[in-house]
Amino acid sequence: MIAAMPDYQAAVDDFVTRLRRRQVEGSLITAKLTAELLRQVVSHQRLPNVGQAAVLIDVVKSVGLRMIAANPIAIAAANRSALRAPSLHNLLESIPDPVKTPEAPAASVGDSDSKSRSGDRNSVSWKLKHNVIEGITELLQDLDDYHTHVAEQALEHIHQNEVILTLGRSRSLLKFLLEAKKKRSFQVVVAEGAPRYQGHTLAKELAEKGLQTTVITDSAVFAMISRVNMVIIGAHAVMANGGVLAPVGMHMVALAARRHAVPFVVLAGVHKLCPQYPHKPYTLLNDMKSPAEVVEFGELSECFAAGTGDHTTYVVNPTFDYIPPDLVSIFITDTGGHNPSYVYRLIAEYYSPEDYFLQ
Amino acid sequence: MDSRRRAPVIGPKVRQVGFVTPNADSPGEGVMEKEAGNLTTNSPTPVTIAPTRPVIEIPHSLKADPVAVPSPSHRRGNEVDIPSAPTASYNPNDSVLDGSSLPSSKGGSTINDVYGSLVSESVAESSPLGRPTGSTVGAFAERVKQKTSDSAIGSAVIDGGVASGKPGKGSKANNRGIPALSSSDAKSSEAPADGSKPLKERTSKAERRAKQEADRAAKLAGKGTGGGAGGDPNAQTKNSKGKKDNAPEKKSVQAPEKKGSDKSSENQKKKEVPAPRLQFDDKERVAKSKRRSLVEQTETKNRVELFRHLPQFVYGTQLPSLEAKFFQDDAMHPHPAVYQVGLQYLTGDIVGGNARCVAMLMALRSMIIDYETPPEKTLVRDLVTRTNNHVNFLITCRPLSISMGNAIRLLKAKIAKLDPSLPEAEAKASLIADIDTFMLEKIVFADKEIVKHAVTKIRDGDVVLTHGYSSVVEMILVRAKEMGKKFRVVVIDSRPKLEGRRLLRSLLSKDIHCTYTHTNAVPYIMQEVTRVFLGAASVLANGTVYARVGTACVAMVAHSCGVPVMICCETYKFHERVQLDSITSNELGDPDALVKVAGRKESALEGWADNEHLQLLNLTYDATPADYVSMIITELGMVPPTSVPVILREYRKEPAV
């Protein structure tokens, strides 16, 4: 396929291994690292004289496939955006025919930079790489900034003396709430979010900033939600039908919110969009972690020791929950608020159709 | 009301309530089975009420008297005959209530030793004394009236006090009875505190009655109509026991002279409305109750505003003062058995509605056995006072569960109805017989019935999901396994109590194939589940299921996935109050229990109390709406949640009569 370039190959291998071992977790981190890695790949890749864009695309795809194989879920969203080959595809259009002006599809990061360059091939090849790298850099910038854009909309949604419920911890949510706190006073109820218990961390952070916070167990969500005005969560990924991949426990919160007619708001940066449609999401789009997080081995062995005979016990520890689109009231992204039914349009904007499936 | 009960509802055929399994194993199903033959398709029968009570399957000796006052010799003899039905291996000593298989450290001792001793003691006891089954109208009327009018403790606490028997409510109610008593000092000829009683000369009953009425009339005149709610809750508590604020009250008070049973039935009518509970944000009443309480407790800081109406004390602060008081020689100081049970509640060694109720009844039983009427006092009144004190003590250890509240209410009613002419030994024996009957009938046999119904709902290939630990659900699953059904179980657990592990342990010891996970993963696992069995602390009159926190979440997810939800609950746990959400009444647990996460050395929430903006909320119960529940399995059959008030009305009257 592509001549192996030892410089970046080691980096790719390292990243892939870390993905497989789940040492890299979280959509933002994954996206950033993926983007940086791709930037490295692109900059080191030597391009032949002809068909450069195709070569680049192939390289990126091969790297991407390896990453997806390592951790399908983390990559499902993050990688997609980083692998936004639309920029490459546009370049592909532009290169063979220097005259044709590439049409950058709307608003994709870095796409608009795919200016068509006419000129000799060397300069073209250099510029192609340059454009792509610029595009990726802008993408990275976006990943850093999207919190701010999302948080800017906080004041429109959170009002005085409201009670907000959330589960677990999300960085965009933290910024969102702190932004609203500057002008309004309200309370937050945080459910712990077993088995990671990141809700504890979020509650501590919020309380330190002076927000009235109450920590509850996940089982108490239904009990408390009758007094809650809004549920706001951060998503791990947003699927093409508007469904949400979120940390485990969110589906229950969404059901309880619908029962009590509480708006269910999902914060998602555009980089979390995924062009895949979720088939059997609980099984195929899930990550089963070690049972040790749920029950310590000592406990379980005590249970086994208590009896005789053939024991079969399964301890399930899924990482993600799938929330169907009809339970979501609104998505707040860095480009504004959207309905779940609008997500497919966003995907069309940011992805070219050839890239929906990496194979 | 009597006439309504006597007249058969429809013809001579006795209908059962709700769904009943047509093919039960045991032959002696009694009346319930009469119709089973007709129910070839097991189609739903209208929920009609049997005209007389003995449709419950109880051993023939107990069936004789609907109010369950059997000739004691029979009953004694039958103690060992109990396991007649071939369903659950229901030798009481072998019952799953017997927690001997559970490691004691993990809150294992439930009804184990407690119940074992019940059987042995009752068999050993040899007081074949009968109880007055009926009472002559005249004397009884006097007695009843005396009780209600004179002793504010008696009835107020019986109905108003522990009417709800809920956590947080119980203490208020009981204490309300006592401050009510003190404030009514002027009125009542009975002295509130035990100490003053011996000093007072015993006037004749008629004189006291006359004085009572005069006082009451004066009070009513002074109060005027519709005295404000603020100052009057105390007064109203006394009134709730049957006196009303207006004229008809006097008539009803005088009427019993003619018809004693009428009076008690009127009392019950008034009592039917559960009296308002003590709300802990009501400062004056809290202060009053504090003065009366046996134990000092410090309130936690960082309380959640929404739950200010519920008590929350710092855990562990009760212990030192409890220990200090233990050796005081005081009339108020609790009997050692009660003290022990209280400590077990405090530490969490005994948990669960049935276990706590049985433990408490056994402790009160010991108290009654050891009880001696002090000179110059009547057994009835003094025993009620004693019982109240002990119950207050238990409340300070841990707020009452609804099952306990109902049992106490019954016990006090029984005490109140004792014939005062009985010698002490006989009275005590009859009380003990009542307690034993209650436990046997309402808990042990009821559980047997529930298991019998419920196992028919488990088929081969089923995946049964349950939440936390419920003694009844455990019995059902064990029984189904014994019957050879092939099924597997999913156990859902929730923090911080992690009671599901106890169930997991016991199921594994019976070789049942289990899956274990936490509450958040319920939507994931619900795809494979075919049945959901849940236990309950209580079912309320509007069909709401009041159960361990997390039950509502499980029921909601099951409902959204179309999985039937079955609640298994004995009828003695039903309660006539209504509740719409989990906030109006609940029990607040120790917030520090949330801080520590199993398997981690450090917690992010260390030092949470220092931050005034951070609160931790540890709810114990939650309320599951009735529409999530497919059916409730009780010993009377399998009923929809809408039948609960019917059962309450028709079947709960009897024990009080």
PDB file of all heavy atoms in Angstrom, chain B residues 458-481:
ATOM      1  N   ILE B 458     -43.485 -17.809  37.369  1.00  0.00           N
ATOM      2  CA  ILE B 458     -42.146 -18.058  36.845  1.00  0.00           C
ATOM      3  C   ILE B 458     -42.208 -19.314  36.001  1.00  0.00           C
ATOM      4  O   ILE B 458     -42.597 -20.372  36.483  1.00  0.00           O
ATOM      5  CB  ILE B 458     -41.133 -18.240  37.987  1.00  0.00           C
ATOM      6  CG1 ILE B 458     -41.101 -16.998  38.865  1.00  0.00           C
ATOM      7  CG2 ILE B 458     -39.754 -18.503  37.427  1.00  0.00           C
ATOM      8  CD1 ILE B 458     -40.101 -17.076  39.979  1.00  0.00           C
ATOM      9  N   ARG B 459     -41.848 -19.153  34.740  1.00  0.00           N
ATOM     10  CA  ARG B 459     -41.894 -20.324  33.862  1.00  0.00           C
ATOM     11  C   ARG B 459     -40.471 -20.701  33.474  1.00  0.00           C
ATOM     12  O   ARG B 459     -39.529 -19.950  33.712  1.00  0.00           O
ATOM     13  CB  ARG B 459     -42.671 -20.007  32.597  1.00  0.00           C
ATOM     14  CG  ARG B 459     -44.043 -19.435  32.871  1.00  0.00           C
ATOM     15  CD  ARG B 459     -44.524 -18.680  31.666  1.00  0.00           C
ATOM     16  NE  ARG B 459     -43.600 -17.607  31.322  1.00  0.00           N
ATOM     17  CZ  ARG B 459     -43.802 -16.752  30.356  1.00  0.00           C
ATOM     18  NH1 ARG B 459     -44.894 -16.846  29.625  1.00  0.00           N
ATOM     19  NH2 ARG B 459     -42.940 -15.817  30.080  1.00  0.00           N
ATOM     20  N   ASP B 460     -40.356 -21.832  32.856  1.00  0.00           N
ATOM     21  CA  ASP B 460     -39.041 -22.251  32.384  1.00  0.00           C
ATOM     22  C   ASP B 460     -38.538 -21.273  31.336  1.00  0.00           C
ATOM     23  O   ASP B 460     -39.272 -20.857  30.447  1.00  0.00           O
ATOM     24  CB  ASP B 460     -39.131 -23.648  31.754  1.00  0.00           C
ATOM     25  CG  ASP B 460     -39.148 -24.711  32.832  1.00  0.00           C
ATOM     26  OD1 ASP B 460     -38.904 -24.373  34.004  1.00  0.00           O
ATOM     27  OD2 ASP B 460     -39.425 -25.878  32.510  1.00  0.00           O
ATOM     28  N   GLY B 461     -37.279 -20.939  31.447  1.00  0.00           N
ATOM     29  CA  GLY B 461     -36.689 -20.038  30.478  1.00  0.00           C
ATOM     30  C   GLY B 461     -36.829 -18.575  30.848  1.00  0.00           C
ATOM     31  O   GLY B 461     -36.373 -17.700  30.116  1.00  0.00           O
ATOM     32  N   ASP B 462     -37.442 -18.304  31.965  1.00  0.00           N
ATOM     33  CA  ASP B 462     -37.627 -16.907  32.357  1.00  0.00           C
ATOM     34  C   ASP B 462     -36.322 -16.295  32.836  1.00  0.00           C
ATOM     35  O   ASP B 462     -35.473 -16.964  33.396  1.00  0.00           O
ATOM     36  CB  ASP B 462     -38.647 -16.816  33.499  1.00  0.00           C
ATOM     37  CG  ASP B 462     -40.023 -16.463  32.990  1.00  0.00           C
ATOM     38  OD1 ASP B 462     -40.123 -16.043  31.827  1.00  0.00           O
ATOM     39  OD2 ASP B 462     -40.994 -16.615  33.750  1.00  0.00           O
ATOM     40  N   VAL B 463     -36.211 -15.006  32.622  1.00  0.00           N
ATOM     41  CA  VAL B 463     -35.126 -14.250  33.237  1.00  0.00           C
ATOM     42  C   VAL B 463     -35.795 -13.265  34.189  1.00  0.00           C
ATOM     43  O   VAL B 463     -36.515 -12.374  33.765  1.00  0.00           O
ATOM     44  CB  VAL B 463     -34.300 -13.492  32.174  1.00  0.00           C
ATOM     45  CG1 VAL B 463     -33.179 -12.731  32.849  1.00  0.00           C
ATOM     46  CG2 VAL B 463     -33.747 -14.450  31.157  1.00  0.00           C
ATOM     47  N   VAL B 464     -35.549 -13.474  35.450  1.00  0.00           N
ATOM     48  CA  VAL B 464     -36.249 -12.705  36.481  1.00  0.00           C
ATOM     49  C   VAL B 464     -35.308 -11.632  37.001  1.00  0.00           C
ATOM     50  O   VAL B 464     -34.168 -11.911  37.356  1.00  0.00           O
ATOM     51  CB  VAL B 464     -36.668 -13.634  37.632  1.00  0.00           C
ATOM     52  CG1 VAL B 464     -37.240 -12.832  38.782  1.00  0.00           C
ATOM     53  CG2 VAL B 464     -37.668 -14.652  37.134  1.00  0.00           C
ATOM     54  N   LEU B 465     -35.785 -10.420  37.067  1.00  0.00           N
ATOM     55  CA  LEU B 465     -34.959  -9.346  37.589  1.00  0.00           C
ATOM     56  C   LEU B 465     -35.507  -8.908  38.941  1.00  0.00           C
ATOM     57  O   LEU B 465     -36.714  -8.832  39.132  1.00  0.00           O
ATOM     58  CB  LEU B 465     -34.963  -8.149  36.618  1.00  0.00           C
ATOM     59  CG  LEU B 465     -34.083  -6.965  37.021  1.00  0.00           C
ATOM     60  CD1 LEU B 465     -33.327  -6.472  35.807  1.00  0.00           C
ATOM     61  CD2 LEU B 465     -34.912  -5.831  37.570  1.00  0.00           C
ATOM     62  N   THR B 466     -34.630  -8.623  39.857  1.00  0.00           N
ATOM     63  CA  THR B 466     -35.064  -8.109  41.149  1.00  0.00           C
ATOM     64  C   THR B 466     -34.072  -7.055  41.622  1.00  0.00           C
ATOM     65  O   THR B 466     -32.952  -6.978  41.136  1.00  0.00           O
ATOM     66  CB  THR B 466     -35.210  -9.236  42.180  1.00  0.00           C
ATOM     67  OG1 THR B 466     -35.683  -8.678  43.401  1.00  0.00           O
ATOM     68  CG2 THR B 466     -33.881  -9.899  42.446  1.00  0.00           C
ATOM     69  N   HIS B 467     -34.523  -6.264  42.572  1.00  0.00           N
ATOM     70  CA  HIS B 467     -33.720  -5.135  43.015  1.00  0.00           C
ATOM     71  C   HIS B 467     -33.507  -5.220  44.506  1.00  0.00           C
ATOM     72  O   HIS B 467     -34.449  -5.462  45.264  1.00  0.00           O
ATOM     73  CB  HIS B 467     -34.453  -3.828  42.666  1.00  0.00           C
ATOM     74  CG  HIS B 467     -33.768  -2.614  43.193  1.00  0.00           C
ATOM     75  ND1 HIS B 467     -34.071  -2.053  44.399  1.00  0.00           N
ATOM     76  CD2 HIS B 467     -32.790  -1.858  42.676  1.00  0.00           C
ATOM     77  CE1 HIS B 467     -33.307  -0.998  44.598  1.00  0.00           C
ATOM     78  NE2 HIS B 467     -32.525  -0.850  43.571  1.00  0.00           N
ATOM     79  N   GLY B 468     -32.276  -5.062  44.911  1.00  0.00           N
ATOM     80  CA  GLY B 468     -31.999  -5.057  46.342  1.00  0.00           C
ATOM     81  C   GLY B 468     -32.328  -6.383  46.976  1.00  0.00           C
ATOM     82  O   GLY B 468     -32.330  -7.429  46.330  1.00  0.00           O
ATOM     83  N   TYR B 469     -32.608  -6.329  48.271  1.00  0.00           N
ATOM     84  CA  TYR B 469     -32.920  -7.553  48.981  1.00  0.00           C
ATOM     85  C   TYR B 469     -34.337  -7.482  49.522  1.00  0.00           C
ATOM     86  O   TYR B 469     -34.677  -6.582  50.273  1.00  0.00           O
ATOM     87  CB  TYR B 469     -31.952  -7.759  50.146  1.00  0.00           C
ATOM     88  CG  TYR B 469     -32.279  -8.992  50.945  1.00  0.00           C
ATOM     89  CD1 TYR B 469     -31.823 -10.231  50.542  1.00  0.00           C
ATOM     90  CD2 TYR B 469     -33.081  -8.925  52.083  1.00  0.00           C
ATOM     91  CE1 TYR B 469     -32.139 -11.369  51.243  1.00  0.00           C
ATOM     92  CE2 TYR B 469     -33.407 -10.059  52.794  1.00  0.00           C
ATOM     93  CZ  TYR B 469     -32.936 -11.274  52.367  1.00  0.00           C
ATOM     94  OH  TYR B 469     -33.266 -12.395  53.065  1.00  0.00           O
ATOM     95  N   SER B 470     -35.151  -8.455  49.143  1.00  0.00           N
ATOM     96  CA  SER B 470     -36.476  -8.560  49.732  1.00  0.00           C
ATOM     97  C   SER B 470     -36.642  -9.987  50.202  1.00  0.00           C
ATOM     98  O   SER B 470     -36.387 -10.927  49.453  1.00  0.00           O
ATOM     99  CB  SER B 470     -37.539  -8.217  48.698  1.00  0.00           C
ATOM    100  OG  SER B 470     -38.795  -8.703  49.111  1.00  0.00           O
ATOM    101  N   SER B 471     -37.072 -10.161  51.436  1.00  0.00           N
ATOM    102  CA  SER B 471     -37.152 -11.514  51.969  1.00  0.00           C
ATOM    103  C   SER B 471     -38.159 -12.345  51.193  1.00  0.00           C
ATOM    104  O   SER B 471     -37.955 -13.541  50.931  1.00  0.00           O
ATOM    105  CB  SER B 471     -37.505 -11.479  53.454  1.00  0.00           C
ATOM    106  OG  SER B 471     -38.631 -10.664  53.673  1.00  0.00           O
ATOM    107  N   VAL B 472     -39.246 -11.699  50.786  1.00  0.00           N
ATOM    108  CA  VAL B 472     -40.273 -12.455  50.065  1.00  0.00           C
ATOM    109  C   VAL B 472     -39.768 -12.891  48.697  1.00  0.00           C
ATOM    110  O   VAL B 472     -39.979 -14.027  48.265  1.00  0.00           O
ATOM    111  CB  VAL B 472     -41.548 -11.608  49.880  1.00  0.00           C
ATOM    112  CG1 VAL B 472     -42.641 -12.440  49.285  1.00  0.00           C
ATOM    113  CG2 VAL B 472     -41.973 -11.031  51.197  1.00  0.00           C
ATOM    114  N   VAL B 473     -39.104 -11.993  48.001  1.00  0.00           N
ATOM    115  CA  VAL B 473     -38.624 -12.345  46.666  1.00  0.00           C
ATOM    116  C   VAL B 473     -37.586 -13.449  46.762  1.00  0.00           C
ATOM    117  O   VAL B 473     -37.542 -14.357  45.926  1.00  0.00           O
ATOM    118  CB  VAL B 473     -38.043 -11.100  45.964  1.00  0.00           C
ATOM    119  CG1 VAL B 473     -37.397 -11.482  44.663  1.00  0.00           C
ATOM    120  CG2 VAL B 473     -39.125 -10.079  45.738  1.00  0.00           C
ATOM    121  N   GLU B 474     -36.791 -13.388  47.796  1.00  0.00           N
ATOM    122  CA  GLU B 474     -35.815 -14.468  47.968  1.00  0.00           C
ATOM    123  C   GLU B 474     -36.530 -15.798  48.144  1.00  0.00           C
ATOM    124  O   GLU B 474     -36.170 -16.806  47.526  1.00  0.00           O
ATOM    125  CB  GLU B 474     -34.956 -14.160  49.192  1.00  0.00           C
ATOM    126  CG  GLU B 474     -33.835 -15.148  49.394  1.00  0.00           C
ATOM    127  CD  GLU B 474     -33.147 -14.938  50.737  1.00  0.00           C
ATOM    128  OE1 GLU B 474     -33.699 -14.219  51.576  1.00  0.00           O
ATOM    129  OE2 GLU B 474     -32.072 -15.499  50.918  1.00  0.00           O
ATOM    130  N   MET B 475     -37.575 -15.780  48.961  1.00  0.00           N
ATOM    131  CA  MET B 475     -38.317 -17.023  49.164  1.00  0.00           C
ATOM    132  C   MET B 475     -38.912 -17.525  47.869  1.00  0.00           C
ATOM    133  O   MET B 475     -38.924 -18.734  47.595  1.00  0.00           O
ATOM    134  CB  MET B 475     -39.442 -16.776  50.164  1.00  0.00           C
ATOM    135  CG  MET B 475     -39.003 -16.746  51.586  1.00  0.00           C
ATOM    136  SD  MET B 475     -40.460 -16.702  52.628  1.00  0.00           S
ATOM    137  CE  MET B 475     -40.297 -15.121  53.350  1.00  0.00           C
ATOM    138  N   ILE B 476     -39.428 -16.602  47.086  1.00  0.00           N
ATOM    139  CA  ILE B 476     -40.050 -17.006  45.825  1.00  0.00           C
ATOM    140  C   ILE B 476     -39.025 -17.668  44.918  1.00  0.00           C
ATOM    141  O   ILE B 476     -39.273 -18.739  44.344  1.00  0.00           O
ATOM    142  CB  ILE B 476     -40.655 -15.780  45.118  1.00  0.00           C
ATOM    143  CG1 ILE B 476     -41.829 -15.230  45.910  1.00  0.00           C
ATOM    144  CG2 ILE B 476     -41.097 -16.130  43.713  1.00  0.00           C
ATOM    145  CD1 ILE B 476     -42.295 -13.897  45.398  1.00  0.00           C
ATOM    146  N   LEU B 477     -37.873 -17.044  44.794  1.00  0.00           N
ATOM    147  CA  LEU B 477     -36.883 -17.585  43.864  1.00  0.00           C
ATOM    148  C   LEU B 477     -36.368 -18.934  44.351  1.00  0.00           C
ATOM    149  O   LEU B 477     -36.182 -19.862  43.556  1.00  0.00           O
ATOM    150  CB  LEU B 477     -35.734 -16.587  43.706  1.00  0.00           C
ATOM    151  CG  LEU B 477     -36.143 -15.255  43.074  1.00  0.00           C
ATOM    152  CD1 LEU B 477     -34.982 -14.286  43.101  1.00  0.00           C
ATOM    153  CD2 LEU B 477     -36.602 -15.467  41.647  1.00  0.00           C
ATOM    154  N   VAL B 478     -36.177 -19.036  45.647  1.00  0.00           N
ATOM    155  CA  VAL B 478     -35.684 -20.306  46.176  1.00  0.00           C
ATOM    156  C   VAL B 478     -36.718 -21.397  45.962  1.00  0.00           C
ATOM    157  O   VAL B 478     -36.408 -22.528  45.568  1.00  0.00           O
ATOM    158  CB  VAL B 478     -35.339 -20.140  47.663  1.00  0.00           C
ATOM    159  CG1 VAL B 478     -35.143 -21.474  48.329  1.00  0.00           C
ATOM    160  CG2 VAL B 478     -34.107 -19.294  47.813  1.00  0.00           C
ATOM    161  N   ARG B 479     -37.956 -21.045  46.179  1.00  0.00           N
ATOM    162  CA  ARG B 479     -39.022 -22.026  46.012  1.00  0.00           C
ATOM    163  C   ARG B 479     -39.141 -22.454  44.558  1.00  0.00           C
ATOM    164  O   ARG B 479     -39.312 -23.634  44.255  1.00  0.00           O
ATOM    165  CB  ARG B 479     -40.336 -21.402  46.489  1.00  0.00           C
ATOM    166  CG  ARG B 479     -41.539 -22.272  46.302  1.00  0.00           C
ATOM    167  CD  ARG B 479     -41.504 -23.467  47.204  1.00  0.00           C
ATOM    168  NE  ARG B 479     -42.434 -24.473  46.753  1.00  0.00           N
ATOM    169  CZ  ARG B 479     -42.187 -25.778  46.750  1.00  0.00           C
ATOM    170  NH1 ARG B 479     -41.024 -26.216  47.189  1.00  0.00           N
ATOM    171  NH2 ARG B 479     -43.093 -26.628  46.327  1.00  0.00           N
ATOM    172  N   ALA B 480     -39.038 -21.476  43.665  1.00  0.00           N
ATOM    173  CA  ALA B 480     -39.129 -21.828  42.249  1.00  0.00           C
ATOM    174  C   ALA B 480     -37.997 -22.757  41.855  1.00  0.00           C
ATOM    175  O   ALA B 480     -38.182 -23.688  41.066  1.00  0.00           O
ATOM    176  CB  ALA B 480     -39.115 -20.565  41.397  1.00  0.00           C
ATOM    177  N   LYS B 481     -36.838 -22.515  42.418  1.00  0.00           N
ATOM    178  CA  LYS B 481     -35.717 -23.400  42.118  1.00  0.00           C
ATOM    179  C   LYS B 481     -35.964 -24.790  42.667  1.00  0.00           C
ATOM    180  O   LYS B 481     -35.673 -25.796  42.025  1.00  0.00           O
ATOM    181  CB  LYS B 481     -34.434 -22.806  42.718  1.00  0.00           C
ATOM    182  CG  LYS B 481     -33.222 -23.647  42.539  1.00  0.00           C
ATOM    183  CD  LYS B 481     -32.676 -23.517  41.131  1.00  0.00           C
ATOM    184  CE  LYS B 481     -31.413 -24.372  41.013  1.00  0.00           C
ATOM    185  NZ  LYS B 481     -30.910 -24.397  39.668  1.00  0.00           N
TER     186      LYS B 481
END
